[in-house]
Structure formats: C-alpha cells, structure tokens
Amino acid sequence: MLKKKWLVLFILASFLFSFCLQKASAEMEFKAEKFPFKEMQVQVMPEFDYPEDWPKNTPSLLVGQYGTIINKSGQDFNGKIEIPVPAKEKNFQAYLVAEFPDVNKPEVQRPYDVDKEKGLVTWKPKNPLKNNETYRFVIEYYSNSIKVADKKSFTYELKNNAEIKQLDVIFYAPMKAKDIQINPKPQNKEKSEYGEELFYYQHKNVKIGDSIQYSFSYKKDGTESTMAAINKQQAPNDDNHKGVSSGTSTDQVLNNGTSTESTNQKPIIGVGGASIIGIAIILAGAFVFMGLKGKPQREAKGVPKNNQQQSKRTIKNDSKSANAEQKKELRKKLLTGKIDQETYDEQMKKLI
C-alpha cells in the first residue's frame, strides 16, 4: 500500500515537473508582437563597402537596422530575439549583431545564428530583458540583390512582425552615382561636400504586416565602394570637421549639410539621441546613431574564423601594408565620427 502511494506521488511529481519545464520553455519563446519597437532606423547602402571574399565585380547591398524594442510580454524574458532578414538572397551574409548596454558606451557584439529557411537572425541578449524594459540592438547584413543592366537597381522591403512607433529609413546613394531614381518620393534629402546623396523617410505607428517597400536605381561605372572612394580623399581640416562625434545630429545637418529641399523643413530623423551607422556623410548631414559600422573584429557566431583573421594575417606579413591598413581604419573612424580630428592627427603621427 505504501509503495503504491509513493508511486502515485512520484508520477504526480514527474507530471508537475514536466509541466513546469514546458511552461518555462514557453515563457522563453520570442513572440514578436509582444516586443514592439519604440523606434527603428534602417540604413540601406548600395555599394557602400564589401565583406571579405565578396564576388568580384558584383555590387553589394549593405543594410543596417538599429532597433529599440520594449518587453511587453508581461514577464522577464531570457530567450532569443528573432529579427526577419532576407536570408535566402544570393550571397547573403550576416555581418554584425550587437547590443547597446549603455547610452554612452559602444556596441557589444553578441553570438548569433541565421535561420535561412525561416529568414531570421537570432541571438540571446547578455542579460534578461525585464518586463517593460527597453533593449537596443543593431544588425548588419550584406546581400547580392542589386540587378545590373543599363542601370543598377534593387527593391528593399522591410518585413516587420511587430508594431513600430517610429520608423526612419535612410538610403545612401553610392559615390559617383548618377541618374538616381527612388520610389516613393523621399520626404527629405541631403547632399554632402563629398557628393553623396541621402534620402530620408519617416513613418509613424507602423502596424504588424504593413508593406514598407522602396525601389532604387542609379547609374554608376564599376563597383568601387563608397568607403574606398572616400578614403582616397583628404578630409578638410577645418572647424566643421573637428570633434565630429560631438553635438546633436540636427546641429551637424545645419552646419554641414546642403539640403536640396526647403531649409525650413525639420530633419525627419530624431531617434532619441541615437545616431546612424556611418560614413563621411555623417560629417555632412547624416543623423548620428550611436555607433558606427567600421569593420570591428568579428567574434560572433556565424562569421567564419578565416574571415575574422584574414586581415590580421595580411597585416603581420607585410609591415607596409599594416601601416596603410591602420591609416585606412583611422581615416574611417574620423569619417564616421568615432574619433575627432585631434585624435586622428595624434594617431597618424605615430604611423608616419
């Protein structure tokens, strides 16, 4: 009789334990609708830069998504975040997944996975997301979605599985691009002293499943990247280019940008102190988003180790090449606002 009681208790305990495990597992499942975006900023950059081993003479499309989500699940979340990406696009490469743990600190990379069948990039935040807490992140990826004919063209579509309170979309025209056409008509645009053009859109209260689609076309000879073209130029050593990482984004636009629209129109990008991934256009009218692309060392899962270490090996094998590469990286940091002119000059002196 006693054995039967113990058996019943054991079965009941096993059932309860299994139930609790299933419940806990379900609680960690990411449901996009429970994590709406307070804000999202998307930068679409054709021929901006190229990852390692990219097919020769093939234009790349780089997309960066900066998001701030809110945990509205009703409980703390300790699972993986899922963000839709066009993983089935030809030559798709996830390049970066990172989080912003502090407003005044740079991004911190996170290990990530790419599910090509579901079209998702997934990663787990370093710390659990508390209920009603915000979480800021960035993902970047490349794809070979630019069609080449008389003109180069592509279509960008944002697939959102959650509501977005404020969505800003920025298109960067490649350096030396001509006959640029974009549809729908942008709400605002800027042109820098380097000749790049930026096109801005802002959307409010985007609903789940809303169609956000743009078409972009242009003419451009060759496949030289914007960064390569800019690195050949010498940044002006004037007051406008000192301390480029300071000041508000609106200040930078008013001081450096040359708007092709009405000067009375308020810049549409205002992502609450955030700023955009950048290139030299940040110096001339872009709206700085906290961090910046550059080419940080990749330790995240999903990036082949040979790609992570290839540039290092090249530098070690050729000191002259190393010097040039370091100068290039310093130049990029200056252009993108990671360092100011004074720091740039000091570091360059050490390499001469």
Side-chain angles (χ1 to χ4, degrees):
M1 185 68 179
L2 185 60
K3 288 184 178 180
K4 289 184 178 180
K5 287 183 178 181
W6 278 111
L7 181 60
V8 171
L9 288 173
F10 176 78
I11 293 173
L12 181 60
S14 298
F15 174 78
L16 290 174
F17 180 71
S18 176
F19 177 78
C20 290
L21 281 180
Q22 290 178 4
K23 189 174 187 297
S25 177
E27 289 173 351
M28 293 302 103
E29 181 183 355
F30 183 80
K31 296 182 178 180
E33 66 275 13
K34 299 293 184 180
F35 295 84
F37 284 86
K38 179 179 180 182
E39 55 204 13
M40 180 193 287
Q41 188 176 94
V42 180
Q43 298 116 46
V44 184
M45 297 167 279
E47 298 189 61
F48 170 77
D49 202 3
Y50 293 94
E52 298 287 348
D53 301 323
W54 188 259
K56 190 175 180 180
N57 298 323
T58 302
S60 70
L61 180 65
L62 172 63
V63 175
Q65 290 182 224
Y66 289 86
T68 301
I69 59 176
I70 307 174
N71 180 4
K72 291 292 184 181
S73 65
Q75 59 191 350
D76 294 351
F77 178 75
N78 194 28
K80 287 188 174 182
I81 291 174
E82 301 175 354
I83 299 297
V85 294
K88 291 185 178 181
E89 286 279 0
K90 188 176 180 181
N91 296 322
F92 175 88
Q93 291 187 33
Y95 184 68
L96 171 69
V97 172
E99 60 187 11
F100 297 94
D102 189 277
V103 175
N104 299 315
K105 293 182 180 180
E107 73 276 10
V108 177
Q109 295 180 49
R110 297 298 302 158
Y112 62 88
D113 293 293
V114 177
D115 188 325
K116 289 196 173 184
E117 289 302 314
K118 294 182 179 179
L120 295 171
V121 166
T122 65
W123 75 95
K124 188 174 183 179
K126 182 178 180 180
N127 300 313
L129 276 62
K130 294 182 179 180
N131 189 38
N132 291 320
E133 183 180 66
T134 59
Y135 174 76
R136 294 179 299 155
F137 68 88
V138 55
I139 63 173
E140 294 179 8
Y141 59 84
Y142 290 91
S143 68
N144 178 7
S145 55
I146 300 177
K147 298 177 181 179
V148 180
D150 291 338
K151 298 183 72 174
K152 298 178 181 180
S153 63
F154 65 91
T155 298
Y156 172 73
E157 180 180 8
L158 175 66
K159 294 183 178 180
N160 62 303
N161 296 332
E163 292 185 352
I164 307 173
K165 186 174 182 180
Q166 178 171 312
L167 170 64
D168 298 311
V169 181
I170 308 171
F171 281 79
Y172 294 70
M175 180 74 84
K176 300 179 183 179
K178 300 177 181 178
D179 194 14
I180 300 167
Q181 294 183 347
I182 184 169
N183 187 52
K185 182 180 178 180
Q187 293 164 274
N188 198 3
K189 55 185 177 180
E190 299 286 334
K191 190 170 184 178
S192 81
E193 64 221 69
Y194 290 94
E196 310 93 336
E197 290 188 86
L198 290 87
F199 304 87
Y200 306 98
Y201 299 86
Q202 186 174 86
H203 305 270
K204 298 284 189 179
N205 300 316
V206 180
K207 303 300 181 184
I208 297 175
D210 280 358
S211 178
I212 307 293
Q213 191 175 82
Y214 309 88
S215 61
F216 193 96
S217 65
Y218 59 96
K219 289 184 177 180
K220 176 178 171 292
D221 294 331
T223 54
E224 182 181 47
S225 71
T226 293
M227 280 307 309
I230 289 176
N231 280 328
K232 293 179 180 178
Q233 302 186 33
Q234 179 63 41
N237 187 10
D238 54 32
D239 290 338
N240 286 340
H241 295 81
K242 291 181 179 181
V244 293
S245 60
S246 62
T248 65
S249 40
T250 302
D251 289 339
Q252 293 183 28
V253 174
L254 295 178
N255 290 335
N256 300 320
T258 304
S259 176
T260 56
E261 301 291 337
S262 171
T263 56
N264 294 324
Q265 182 174 359
K266 182 180 178 181
I268 66 171
I269 307 301
V271 198
S275 56
I276 61 174
I277 185 176
I279 55 176
I281 301 179
I282 286 183
L283 306 179
F287 299 78
V288 184
F289 184 98
M290 312 193 35
L292 165 79
K293 180 184 174 297
K295 277 195 178 179
Q297 295 299 323
R298 300 304 180 209
E299 297 177 358
K301 184 177 179 182
V303 180
K305 289 185 178 180
N306 61 329
N307 284 356
Q308 296 175 25
Q309 303 299 330
Q310 183 173 350
S311 59
K312 285 188 177 181
R313 289 198 299 269
T314 303
I315 289 173
K316 289 180 179 179
N317 291 337
D318 189 340
S319 60
K320 185 176 180 180
S321 174
N323 193 274
E325 192 68 23
Q326 290 176 50
K327 288 180 180 179
K328 179 180 177 182
E329 288 302 315
L330 280 175
R331 175 78 173 134
K332 189 178 295 185
K333 288 181 179 180
L334 174 66
L335 294 174
T336 51
K338 270 198 166 181
I339 59 175
D340 58 22
Q341 185 72 43
E342 183 178 355
T343 303
Y344 172 78
D345 292 339
E346 290 178 356
Q347 294 296 320
M348 283 295 288
K349 289 178 182 177
K350 297 178 182 179
L351 297 176
I352 295 176

